[in-house]
Every structure is written in C-alpha cells, then in structure tokens.
Amino acid sequence: MGARGSHSAVPPDADSIRRETGFSQASLLRLYHRFQALDRDNKGYLSRMDLQQIGALAVNPLGDRIIESFFPDGNHQVDFAGFARVLAHFRPVDEEDPGMQDPKQPEPLNSRMNKLRFAFQLYDLDRDGKISRNEMLQVLRLMVGVQVTEEQLESIADRTVQEADIDGDGAVSFMEFTKSLEKMNIEQKMSIRILK
Amino acid sequence: MLRAALPLLMLPLAAARAAEEPTQEPGVPGESPPGLALFRWQWHEVEAPYLVALWILVASLAKIVFHLSRKVTSLVPESCLLILLGLVLGGIVLAVAKKAEYQLEPGTFFLFLLPPIVLDSGYFMPSRLFFDNLGAILTYAVVGTLWNAFTTGAALWGLQQAGLVASRVQAGLLDFLLFGSLISAVDPVAVLAVFEEVHVNETLFIIVFGESLLNDAVTVVLYKVCNSFVEMGSANVRATDYLKGVASLFVVSLGGAAVGLVFAFLLALTTRFTKRVRIIEPLLVFLLAYAAYLTAEMASLSAILAVTMCGLGCKKYVEANISHKSRTAVKYTMKTLASCAETVIFMLLGISAVDSSKWAWDSGLVLGTLIFILFFRALGVVLQTWVLNQFRLVPLDKIDQVVMSYGGLRGAVAFALVILLDRTKVPAKDYFVATTIVVVFFTVIVQGLTIKPLVKWLKVKRSEHHKPTLNQELHEHTFDHILAAVEDVVGHHGYHYWRDRWEQFDKKYLSQLLMRRSAYRIRDQIWDVYYRLNIRDAISFVDQGGHVLSSTGLTLPSMPSRNSVAETSVTNLLRESGSGACLDLQVIDTVRSGRDREDAAMHHLLSGGLYKPRRRYKASCSHHFISEDAQERQDKEVFQQNMKRRLESFKSTKHNICLTKNKPRPHKAGHKKKDGMASVEAINKKPRDLGFQDTAAVILTVESEEEEESNSSETEKEDDEGIIFVARATSEVLQEGKISGSLELCPSPRVIPPSPTCAEKELPWKSGHGDLAVYVSSETTKIVPVDMQMGWNQSISSLESLASPPCTQDPTLTRLPPRQLDVDEPPALLDLSSDPRPTFAFPPSLAKAGRSRSESSADIPQQQELQPLMGHKDRTHLSPGTANSHWCIHFNRGGRL
C-alpha cells in the first residue's frame, strides 16, 4: 500500500520487536511500510486520527474500539513497537513450528489466551475485568443494527450474559468469556495469514 | 431384505408378462366379444410411472431393512448395501426376464436423479465454511481434476504402448484421455453417501465434497472436448480447438454459476411476494432450482454448478422470506428427494452392472485404471496441498491428505458418462464401461467400507457437534469484525476484507431487495441464534412438562419483539433450572451437569413444579372446560391477592432488601405463562435467597401483572392462543379474598415445614391437590440444602420473632413419607400422566372426592399442631387475609364440594 521507500526501510530496533512479537522479517518489514504509510506526517508514531483515516474502519462497527485498542492506558500515540505488538495478536499460531516462538516467553502474544484477551478488552470498556450486561448491550447495539429493537437487544444481552455467567454475578469475567468460547477454534478464527 | 424386495420386483415383471401375452391373444375369435368387462388389466397405461414408483418403493424398503440392524449400517455404508442389493436384483431380473432391464439410463440420471441430490447439497451447504475454504476447493476441483484426467489418460495410454493392455482394446491417446476425463471426477453422490456417515471434521468434508460438486464443470468440459476431439479424429484437431477447449472451461463453469445465481435471485425475489400464497413456497424453491438445472443443461453449461450456486445463493433470502412451515417442508422434501434419488442411483448402478452385454473385460485396463486413479489422486492431492499450505492459515496435515486421497470416490456420474459414449466413435467403449463399473464398485464398496476404520485408525479429527450459543455467535461476529479491521489496519485486502465488503453490500442492497421487510427486520444472525435458542428452550421445556410455553415458542417467528420479554424469562428459568452456563437443553434432559447436585435437585423440583401450569393451560386452551378453568383461575387470584397483601405488610417491616433485590424481575416474568414463571423463579431463587424473599418475588410478579396483562392481552389478540385474563375474575377474587380472610384458622406460611414459601408458590397452580402441600414440603426437605433450611429458619425468626418449636417439623415429616412415596416421589412423571385427567376429564366431584380425603389426612394434623403458633403470628405480622392461600384454597374447595 503506497508510500514505500520514502522512509528508512528497516524499522528501528527490529530485532527486539521481532523477538517480542514473533513476526517474520518479511512481515515486520511489511508492517513497517504500512506503519509509515499510515503515519502521514512522518511523526514516527500514529495518532488516532491516522487510524481513523482508514476508510474501511469507519464502516466497521467495532472500528473505533479496535483503534482504541492501539492506544492503551489513554495514550495518544503509538509507535511502531506498539503497533506491531497489537497486530501480533493476530499472528497465526504455528503449532508445527515452535522455533518461531521464543521458548523463554511462556505466552507469546498470539497465544489463544492473548487473542481472547484482545477480544475481551474490546467488550470491557471500563476495564474492570468483567463484561457487564450494559457493556454487552453496547456491543450488541453496535453489531446488530437497527432492525432489531432495543427491547430485543436487551433480551439478547440478558441471555448472552446469563449464558456465559457461571458464578451468577450478572457479568462475564474473562474466565467465563474463555469458557464460553472453549469449543471455538480461536487460534484459527483470530489469525490473519499474512501476519506470519 | 431380499424377501422384502423380491415379491415387489416380481410384480411388475409378472405384470409385464401378463400384459405381453394378451396382446397376442386378442386375435382369437369369439374370445373377446365387445362386452362390459368386469375386470380389465391395463398394465401398459400405467407401466412407466408404476415401475418408477415400484423401484423407489423397493429402494426405500431396502433402506428400511438395512436400518433395522444398527450394526450393519454402522459398519457398511448404505451405498455399498444398495449397490449389492442392486446386483442381486439385477441378477434376478436377468434370470426372470432373460434380458437386463431397468438400468441406469444417463438421461434419467442427469435429468431426474442427479438434480435433487445436488440441490440438497447446495442448499444445505454450510456457506461460511464453503467460502472459507473456497480457494482449496477450487484448486482441487479444477487443477486436481485436470491433473487426474490427464495423468490417468496418459498413463493408460502408456500402459497400452507398453503392451500391458490387450490389443483388442482399440484406443488411441485421445480415447484414453476421454476415458481419463470421465473416470477422474470425484463423484458428489458417492462422496456424500460415504462421508455423511464418516463424520470427519467439517473442513475436510467441505473440501472433498465441495471439490466433488465443483469439479463437474471441469468434467463436463473435459468430457465434451475430448469427445468432440475423438469424434473429429485426432488428425483434424487444430490448435484453435485446444484454445477453444480452454475457453469453454471458463464458459461452462462461469456460465453455469451465473445461471445458478440468476435463478437464485429470481427465486429469492419471487418468495418475497408469496405472503398470501404460502402454500406454494416450497414448490417455488424446487421449480426454480430445477429450472436452473435444466437451463444450464440446455445451454450445455455445468448444470451441477448451476444448481449448487442456486441453492447456495438463494438460501439466505428464501429462508427469511418463506414461512416457518414452508421452511420445514422445503427441508424435508429436499432431503427426501435427495435420499430417494441417491438410493435409486446406487441400486440402479448395481443392477446395471449385471448386464454383461455391455461388458468387455480387459484385466490390464481394469487393473491399470484402478492403480492409476488411486496413485494419481494421492499424488495430486499431495502436490496441491503442498502448494495450498503455503497460503492456508490452517494447513492441511498429512492425515487430512490421506483421507482426501482415499475419499476420492467415483460414482454414478462416471458411469452415466461412459454409457453416453458413442460406440461407433469410441470402439473401446465396452472395455471402458467394464472398467468404469469396476472402478465405481471398487471405490464405493472397498473404499467406502474401509474409510471409516481408516478415519478411526488415523484419528482424523471428527466433526464436533455443538449447538450454537449466543456467546459463540456474538463473539464470532466480533472476531470477523476485528479481523476485517485488522486487515484494514495492516492494509491487506484479504479474505476478511472482501467478506466484510460483501456483507455490507448484502445488507445495503441485496437483502433490502430480496427480503420481505418484515423478514429483513428480524433477519439478524445474532437475533436468529437467539431466536432459535429460545425455540429450542421452549420445545424442550415443553418436553419436560411445562406445556405453557409452547404457544410462545410457536408465535415467535412472526413477531419477535413482543415476545422478547417472555423469552427472557424462559431463559432465566431454564438457566436457573440447573443448566448452569450450558444452555444445551439436551444436556438438561439427560445429564445433570448443572453446577452441582443442588441444581439438579432444583431442576427436579422445577420439572415437578411445572406440570400444573401445563394442565391448567391445556384447559384454558380447550373450550370444553371453561368452568373448570375459571375455578382454577379463581384459586390463582386468591393466592395472588393474598400474596399481595402479605407483601404489603412485609414491606413495612424488615424485608426491604429482598424487595429491591427482586425488583428487576417482574418485567421479565409474567406474560402468558406468568404464574408458571413465578413459581419457577421463586423456586430457583431459593438456593441464593432466603425463604420470604421468594415470596416477595412472587408477589412482585403478581403486582406487575396488571400492566403486563394489558400488554399481553393486546399482543395476544393477534394469535388466538392468549390465555388468562383476570379482568373478569376480579369480583370472584374479592369474594375469594373474603372467604380466605374469614378463615383465620389458616396457618401461616410457617405451617409447612421446612419451606412454606415453596409450598405457597407451588400451591396456587397445583392447588387442585390437597396432598401437594405434603409433596412440596417433603420434597423440599429432601432437596433444599441444609444451609438453606438454616436460612429459612433465620428468615422466619427474624420475621416472626417466634422461635419455632422443632417438634413441629419432625412429626410432619415423619408422618408424611408413606403417601408422598406413592404420589409424589417421581413428581414429573406421575403427576404429568395421572393428574391432569382426573381434574379435567372427570366430573369435578370425582376428582375432588379423592382430594378431600387427602386433605383431611394431611391438613388436619398440621393445623392441630400449628394452631398454637398461629394466633398472634397472624395478628402481629399478617393481615387476616394473608393467611396461607394454600389453605384457603382448600377450604374453598371443600366448600364447593
């Protein structure tokens, strides 16, 4: 996507980023090009604005939340390391090729748990470690669209929470969240092939 | 199976003979003067359809016979059995008729037998899975088939050149390529028949099966091209012809797909306007799909591809447009037709093989073909998979490849194509026919038989059947959106990007255009899952004995919004009934996999507690028992009245907590099955709340009833299944209230140890039975855990400031078991089967005669025991009218008696 070669071809401290994220050289380079393309003013970091300018994200119901996930802890900018770190969640899991993963790190960013955690924090707006009914409702509202009435949405939210809620506290904790998805092939569903 | 099939088979044959003979006889003079014949045998007029019907019947009966033994069908695929049966039948036909009859005609096969199978598989194709693996499927279908055809053809030619094929097989390279093209295609019918029973994982299945469907275009093209080359003679084939051949591959495949999509569009559009003529909806589906098939066939495009795409494309919109019943009709008709066609195909395949006149055996050719198709299939799969795995997110591992290679079954398509060859142009046709038959038989029987053990032995990932949960559905959508967003961020327009695009396009234009407005409104996938879950809940709830909910479940499809309140409560109820996080109701039915035993017990109590609403509801549905129902309703009203009053008195005292705690509930409960709900909720709340909180829950639902009643009465006017309206009953209620108020002797809730609340809740809708008090109390002692009993006791003491004499509990309990054993022990079963009838089918006097007996035995001693307690308890905390309604009811009943 455009703008290649106008900047330095190699990302700064590529090695440490690679070690952390597990990206291959080629992927990292590719991401770096993309990062530079998004970084319109050559700031060296991305702001929310930069990401919001990606047209397709504007029509993605979860677009804003995903943009937000690039800026943890209320930051206003994300450097390439942070950028790569977020995207590393979507690196495919190589079961056959453990060499790709650093054995010292017990849980690489693209592990099942981390993939799930990424999804979970999209729901959990207030970061209290729980998806409340209200948070569930908000996500549903984003995803379901206008044809379903508010009342129906609420009942869906109720049911969804209840379905996953094991301890009966009326909210879905991360453990309950993973449990509700234990049958799903997360490794496969939350991976993008090109992010090897 | 033979015995079943034989007479049937003989019948048409005998009939045919009988019909043939008279044709010669009418010449005999005097034998047949034109008179009124009492009996005329008109075999020829009905012969064709009669035979068709008979064959289908024979095939179906054979199927039944096969499935009589579970052992046989679990070991041997049905297709094998059918082929073998066909062989036997063919032998019999040959022996009886002295000539081979009833064979698989290519025309019949392509025009009538194949379309239903393909439509079925296209329509019910898991589209998401299909498109997720489209790349692999297309590769195997196109490249794989081409590879198989050319390598097999060339290798056979090489075999002939090496002198291993007898020289009497007169075939050149083109003939062998033609043969290779028809023998190389994996057959959808055979694959479906075998793989459906094997249950490999979905990805593997969709790849093999998708390949078998999509390779039709390649097969058709190859076959036609080679055929015309053979007919032209290899000398006359020019370079442009090869180019044309390549071009025709695109024309045939894309054209077929386009025809299918056009018809899918038409079909979806048509069903949008069938609101007034629901009855033809299923027919439309079949007609237009069949039209797609015929149109493609007419234009010599890939008909299989056309009907697959038609089914795949129209499903979403058609399913949304047509009524629920039509959906079921479509599903079943499609499945029936497909299974019928499949059965007939395999049987006819067997029969056709008997006809030795078509055969010409050459061992070299047969063996060579067998080896080559297996070898080149495996080689092709390995090579392609290696390439594909470079691009696939989830690589296909070696085991998958083995199954894919081994699952390349050939079937009726190859056979029909080889029969279609022109003997004058292809002199070796007979050899090819024999070889094809052997190949088909080998793949279907040998590979079909062994693939199951192989899959087991290789430990191929099996498909896991789990019902969708709302969480999964929701999160899956989330994941899709996340991935699409991440692809955007990464700047890679990959699969997720395009799917996202497509979905938005679909949402914006296609769905708007092709779906009924009302259907579009409710057609959201998450909503859909929610809806289906609720239906399932409702159905299994009914199965468990809660008849009340059935009407809710059935009215849902048309108006989802107004039922959502009720649905939520169904959910609550079922969830709390011990299913824990698992909403799979089959689990509830069988496994007590709830949170713990307590939940299981609660569930037990629930199913026991629900039978009453069912009965009552039944009565209210029926027009024959109105008076009875009115009585029941009065009872309910009394109870509610009492509860309401009691709550008011509680409100002022110490139980504000429970009120607030229960406040969210009322809007969920209620609706038509309100009372059932109330009871259940109350019961289910027990594990966590204390005794009188339950009461509060009930009362609150009662309080909220007015508004909900009005809601529900409005909404339920539309469907005529509404029930229970209190408006009329108010005066009676008041009367009842007075009666109950006058009965100051009535024991307080305290009376029924250890859990009066439970009894209270149970009673009003179980109120027909005096012994229910006993049932509930004893049952609860059994199931209510010790800590809850303690909780109960605490709540009592806090409420009534009166320590209860322990002796009051024990005597009741010890005395009661004998009766409880025979009446109440298996509550769900016994009560369901036996109770409703006496109450409603028999005159009231009969039913109540039994009841009064039990009342006298159960009530009186308790009253005696507890009367000392009663006096100031009632006066201090409860208004006179709040006396336990259970008792009031019994008194009322007594009065009526």
Side-chain angles (χ1 to χ4, degrees):
Chain A
M1 284 294 286
R4 271 169 213 211
S6 60
H7 314 285
S8 61
V10 185
D13 48 276
D15 284 344
S16 67
I17 297 177
R18 271 193 65 194
R19 218 170 301 126
E20 186 186 355
T21 60
F23 281 126
S24 69
Q25 188 88 48
S27 305
L28 201 67
L29 212 58
R30 180 199 177 95
L31 286 180
Y32 191 56
H33 286 311
R34 177 65 179 164
F35 179 81
Q36 287 172 323
L38 290 173
D39 177 14
R40 288 171 193 237
D41 316 322
N42 295 334
K43 302 183 290 286
Y45 59 87
L46 296 180
S47 65
R48 285 186 176 78
M49 278 291 288
D50 289 324
L51 288 177
Q52 278 157 2
Q53 265 156 8
I54 301 170
L57 273 185
V59 292
N60 192 317
L62 295 177
D64 284 344
R65 294 194 178 206
I66 285 156
I67 290 176
E68 211 50 47
S69 66
F70 280 92
F71 304 96
D73 312 322
N75 291 346
H76 293 294
Q77 35 185 274
V78 57
D79 59 1
F80 180 65
F83 183 74
R85 204 177 299 126
V86 172
L87 292 177
H89 287 99
F90 300 95
R91 198 167 62 82
V93 182
D94 331 272
E95 289 162 2
E96 294 173 348
D97 190 13
M100 289 290 286
Q101 295 169 9
D102 196 329
K104 282 170 210 159
Q105 278 178 318
E107 209 174 35
L109 282 170
N110 65 345
S111 73
R112 179 188 173 95
M113 274 304 168
N114 276 327
K115 282 176 194 292
L116 282 172
R117 196 161 282 131
F118 183 88
F120 184 79
Q121 47 102 7
L122 290 185
Y123 289 89
D124 183 21
L125 284 185
D126 59 5
R127 301 285 146 93
D128 66 345
K130 277 177 181 170
I131 306 174
S132 66
R133 174 181 179 276
N134 209 19
E135 284 164 342
M136 190 68 90
L137 192 60
Q138 284 177 8
V139 173
L140 277 166
R141 210 174 279 142
L142 288 175
M143 308 245 304
V144 171
V146 285
Q147 70 266 33
V148 177
T149 65
E150 187 68 21
E151 191 192 358
Q152 293 167 349
L153 272 185
E154 280 182 23
S155 47
I156 297 180
D158 278 338
R159 175 153 191 164
T160 313
V161 171
Q162 282 169 5
E163 201 180 75
D165 183 16
I166 298 165
D167 57 11
D169 63 349
V172 182
S173 68
F174 182 62
M175 283 322 291
E176 289 162 349
F177 181 76
T178 50
K179 190 125 177 72
S180 73
L181 292 173
E182 63 184 349
K183 281 180 183 159
M184 202 189 269
N185 190 348
I186 303 298
E187 291 87 344
Q188 186 179 340
K189 287 226 155 79
M190 285 282 279
S191 296
I192 292 179
R193 191 183 51 80
I194 56 147
L195 293 177
K196 278 260 180 191
Chain B
M1 56 179 163
L2 245 178
R3 240 176 293 141
L6 209 67
L8 275 166
L9 187 81
M10 293 318 213
L11 187 61
L13 281 176
R17 303 235 133 187
E20 270 166 30
E21 279 156 20
T23 50
Q24 291 153 3
E25 279 166 19
V28 184
E31 186 70 35
S32 58
L36 190 65
L38 273 179
F39 184 79
R40 274 174 71 206
W41 193 255
Q42 292 183 317
W43 167 245
H44 282 291
E45 287 177 26
V46 296
E47 182 178 357
Y50 203 93
L51 280 179
V52 171
L54 269 184
W55 276 116
I56 296 174
L57 185 64
V58 169
S60 312
L61 287 179
K63 231 175 168 158
I64 296 174
V65 174
F66 296 151
H67 283 276
L68 285 183
S69 161
R70 190 164 271 252
K71 209 172 182 181
V72 172
T73 41
S74 70
L75 287 176
V76 188
E78 207 179 79
S79 46
C80 296
L81 290 172
L82 283 168
I83 280 201
L84 293 176
L85 171 71
L87 271 179
V88 173
L89 289 183
I92 294 166
V93 171
L94 194 67
V96 173
K98 303 281 183 261
K99 59 175 178 171
E101 284 191 83
Y102 316 117
Q103 304 208 338
L104 188 61
E105 300 292 334
T108 321
F109 172 72
F110 282 118
L111 289 185
F112 302 112
L113 293 176
L114 193 52
I117 299 176
V118 181
L119 176 62
D120 173 60
S121 45
Y123 193 78
F124 292 108
M125 176 98 73
S127 53
R128 175 74 194 266
L129 207 58
F130 179 77
F131 286 111
D132 279 0
N133 294 293
L134 190 61
I137 292 171
L138 276 177
T139 312
Y140 290 119
V142 178
V143 181
T145 310
L146 286 173
W147 157 270
N148 283 347
F150 283 114
T151 50
T152 311
L156 283 175
W157 183 70
L159 206 64
Q160 191 206 31
Q161 296 299 307
L164 290 171
V165 175
S167 57
R168 59 176 188 273
V169 181
Q170 298 171 342
L173 177 60
L174 269 179
D175 298 82
F176 279 117
L177 284 179
L178 174 61
F179 180 62
S181 73
L182 67 85
I183 202 75
S184 62
V186 176
D187 183 72
V189 186
V191 166
L192 203 61
V194 169
F195 272 71
E196 261 181 351
E197 299 179 18
V198 176
H199 303 299
V200 293
N201 63 69
E202 295 151 325
T203 316
L204 198 51
F205 173 76
I206 203 76
I207 287 178
V208 177
F209 179 56
E211 176 201 342
S212 72
L213 277 178
L214 297 194
N215 68 16
D216 172 67
V218 182
T219 314
V220 168
V221 171
L222 267 184
Y223 178 78
K224 279 183 182 151
V225 168
C226 290
N227 208 7
S228 50
F229 283 1
V230 168
E231 287 176 4
M232 282 155 63
S234 52
N236 304 325
V237 179
R238 271 170 279 163
T240 49
D241 291 324
Y242 291 108
L243 284 180
K244 273 189 204 163
V246 174
S248 74
L249 176 62
F250 289 96
V251 172
V252 166
S253 53
L254 296 180
V259 167
L261 290 178
V262 166
F263 274 91
F265 183 83
L266 286 178
L267 176 53
L269 200 62
T270 322
T271 51
R272 202 189 151 172
F273 303 104
T274 50
K275 195 177 179 184
R276 305 266 160 75
V277 272
R278 292 281 192 198
I279 199 74
I280 62 162
E281 280 170 346
L283 188 65
L284 277 175
V285 174
F286 291 103
L287 278 184
L288 277 161
Y290 194 45
Y293 186 89
L294 293 180
T295 310
E297 190 77 46
M298 182 176 70
S300 45
L301 303 171
S302 168
I304 291 187
L305 209 53
V307 86
T308 306
M309 293 313 283
C310 182
L312 205 58
C314 75
K315 189 187 182 195
K316 181 180 173 192
Y317 312 105
V318 168
E319 293 274 284
N321 282 337
I322 63 179
S323 73
H324 195 74
K325 281 177 185 164
S326 302
R327 229 174 293 162
T328 314
V330 166
K331 185 178 171 186
Y332 273 89
T333 319
M334 221 174 250
K335 293 278 175 208
T336 310
L337 285 178
S339 133
C340 213
E342 188 187 290
T343 313
V344 169
I345 285 173
F346 281 116
M347 207 171 69
L348 289 184
L349 258 183
I351 293 176
S352 310
V354 176
D355 183 10
S356 56
S357 66
K358 288 181 193 156
W359 281 66
W361 181 272
D362 183 82
S363 308
L365 184 67
V366 169
L367 279 177
T369 312
L370 268 183
I371 292 167
F372 287 143
I373 61 162
L374 285 173
F375 174 71
F376 285 118
R377 165 94 188 161
L379 189 62
V381 165
V382 170
L383 288 177
Q384 291 171 76
T385 312
W386 182 78
V387 176
L388 279 173
N389 275 349
Q390 309 296 312
F391 300 100
R392 277 182 70 86
L393 179 62
V394 188
L396 295 161
D397 56 19
K398 293 203 174 59
I399 290 174
D400 290 342
Q401 293 175 36
V402 171
V403 175
M404 279 164 63
S405 314
Y406 202 67
L409 307 176
R410 306 331 197 248
V413 172
F415 180 78
L417 287 177
V418 81
I419 295 286
L420 276 178
L421 289 177
D422 184 354
R423 194 179 312 212
T424 55
K425 302 280 166 49
V426 189
K429 180 189 171 184
D430 289 350
Y431 294 98
F432 290 157
V433 171
T435 313
T436 309
I437 288 177
V438 171
V439 167
V440 170
F441 273 47
F442 180 82
T443 54
V444 171
I445 295 178
V446 177
Q447 286 178 262
L449 266 176
T450 47
I451 197 162
K452 215 171 193 175
L454 183 78
V455 163
K456 222 175 254 169
W457 181 64
L458 289 174
K459 298 196 182 67
V460 177
K461 260 186 269 166
R462 301 298 192 94
S463 64
E464 296 161 10
H465 280 288
H466 46 87
K467 302 251 167 64
T469 63
L470 262 179
N471 275 285
Q472 280 186 12
E473 185 68 23
L474 174 66
H475 300 325
E476 216 166 330
H477 276 253
T478 317
F479 295 158
D480 286 347
H481 287 305
I482 293 175
L483 287 190
V486 170
E487 277 196 351
D488 291 333
V489 170
V490 178
H492 168 76
H493 287 190
Y495 172 65
H496 297 284
Y497 172 83
W498 289 113
R499 206 194 46 234
D500 208 47
R501 278 297 100 91
W502 164 256
E503 269 171 14
Q504 274 163 22
F505 172 75
D506 174 63
K507 212 170 193 169
K508 250 186 196 147
Y509 306 107
L510 271 183
S511 291
Q512 302 274 9
L513 181 65
L514 295 178
M515 278 190 200
R516 228 166 259 178
R517 186 135 305 181
S518 57
Y520 177 66
R521 212 165 42 77
I522 60 165
R523 196 67 193 177
D524 184 275
Q525 275 169 306
I526 296 176
W527 170 255
D528 197 52
V529 170
Y530 175 67
Y531 163 70
R532 273 185 288 141
L533 279 173
N534 273 318
I535 291 276
R536 215 178 60 214
D537 288 357
I539 288 172
S540 65
F541 181 71
V542 171
D543 289 346
Q544 289 175 20
H547 195 67
V548 239
L549 294 176
S550 59
S551 67
T552 322
L554 293 176
T555 53
L556 281 177
S558 46
M559 9 236 142
S561 57
R562 72 186 161 87
N563 281 306
S564 52
V565 174
E567 283 156 16
T568 319
S569 38
V570 181
T571 308
N572 288 344
L573 176 157
L574 284 162
R575 201 192 107 69
E576 291 170 15
S577 75
S579 56
C582 169
L583 274 160
D584 186 342
L585 283 153
Q586 291 183 332
V587 177
I588 297 184
D589 278 340
T590 50
V591 194
R592 295 208 178 148
S593 67
R595 287 165 230 175
D596 44 22
R597 219 177 275 159
E598 173 191 301
D599 268 354
M602 282 304 145
H603 167 60
H604 211 66
L605 181 60
L606 166 70
S607 56
L610 287 173
Y611 76 95
K612 196 64 176 199
R614 169 201 194 177
R615 183 178 53 145
R616 212 176 52 76
Y617 189 67
K618 220 191 221 164
S620 66
C621 274
S622 143
H623 296 288
H624 304 292
F625 300 105
I626 293 168
S627 58
E628 206 85 34
D629 182 44
Q631 285 179 5
E632 294 266 349
R633 207 178 292 149
Q634 286 172 16
D635 296 344
K636 192 191 88 188
E637 295 306 320
V638 174
F639 172 74
Q640 290 171 349
Q641 203 83 7
N642 291 340
M643 283 301 154
K644 208 180 269 183
R645 252 175 268 160
R646 185 180 301 169
L647 173 70
E648 277 157 16
S649 66
F650 287 167
K651 259 182 200 165
S652 56
T653 54
K654 313 164 187 182
H655 288 267
N656 303 325
I657 317 133
C658 60
L659 290 184
T660 51
K661 198 167 180 190
N662 283 312
K663 223 139 211 169
R665 291 253 166 218
H667 76 274
K668 291 179 192 168
H671 216 233
K672 43 179 101 168
K673 55 206 180 282
K674 176 174 324 135
D675 31 19
M677 301 309 312
S679 78
V680 171
E681 275 189 22
I683 295 161
N684 288 322
K685 276 194 81 69
K686 280 195 108 155
R688 272 170 234 146
D689 299 347
L690 301 180
F692 272 97
Q693 293 175 337
D694 297 345
T695 323
V698 174
I699 297 160
L700 273 174
T701 53
V702 171
E703 274 184 335
S704 65
E705 195 170 350
E706 271 86 9
E707 50 178 290
E708 277 172 15
E709 209 94 274
S710 59
N711 286 343
S712 57
S713 59
E714 274 170 36
T715 48
E716 277 159 10
K717 265 172 212 159
E718 295 163 47
D719 47 313
D720 35 18
E721 300 181 69
I723 50 153
I724 311 174
F725 301 105
V726 247
R728 191 173 49 82
T730 40
S731 59
E732 292 157 333
V733 174
L734 285 175
Q735 286 173 9
E736 297 284 312
K738 274 174 212 155
I739 294 168
S740 60
S742 66
L743 296 165
E744 295 211 3
L745 291 186
C746 292
S748 80
R750 189 66 200 86
V751 160
I752 304 152
S755 171
T757 40
C758 185
E760 285 160 10
K761 247 119 283 147
E762 296 292 319
L763 292 174
W765 32 95
K766 292 190 159 196
S767 58
H769 297 253
D771 43 29
L772 271 172
V774 180
Y775 152 55
V776 171
S777 58
S778 50
E779 192 74 34
T780 30
T781 12
K782 269 189 294 176
I783 51 180
V784 173
V786 181
D787 54 328
M788 276 182 38
Q789 294 184 29
M790 300 227 328
W792 155 247
N793 286 331
Q794 286 166 10
S795 78
I796 287 307
S797 55
S798 72
L799 175 70
E800 308 191 5
S801 65
L802 239 180
S804 58
C807 58
T808 51
Q809 292 188 10
D810 295 339
T812 343
L813 289 172
T814 45
R815 196 180 54 250
L816 292 173
R819 271 201 322 106
Q820 162 223 326
L821 270 175
D822 53 355
V823 182
D824 302 311
E825 195 61 64
L829 279 177
L830 246 180
D831 290 345
L832 272 175
S833 54
S834 61
D835 279 347
R837 257 158 240 152
T839 331
F840 291 104
F842 298 143
S845 56
L846 265 180
K848 275 161 196 167
R851 207 174 288 146
S852 62
R853 229 181 293 131
S854 60
E855 274 169 31
S856 54
S857 61
D859 299 357
I860 295 165
Q862 286 191 3
Q863 283 181 22
Q864 287 171 349
E865 280 167 15
L866 293 163
Q867 262 172 12
L869 294 172
M870 286 310 304
H872 57 275
K873 224 188 296 166
D874 271 337
R875 255 165 262 141
T876 47
H877 290 281
L878 310 173
S879 66
T882 57
N884 188 320
S885 65
H886 160 59
W887 300 95
C888 305
I889 288 154
H890 287 283
F891 273 95
N892 293 338
R893 290 201 175 269
R896 259 182 236 130
L897 267 177

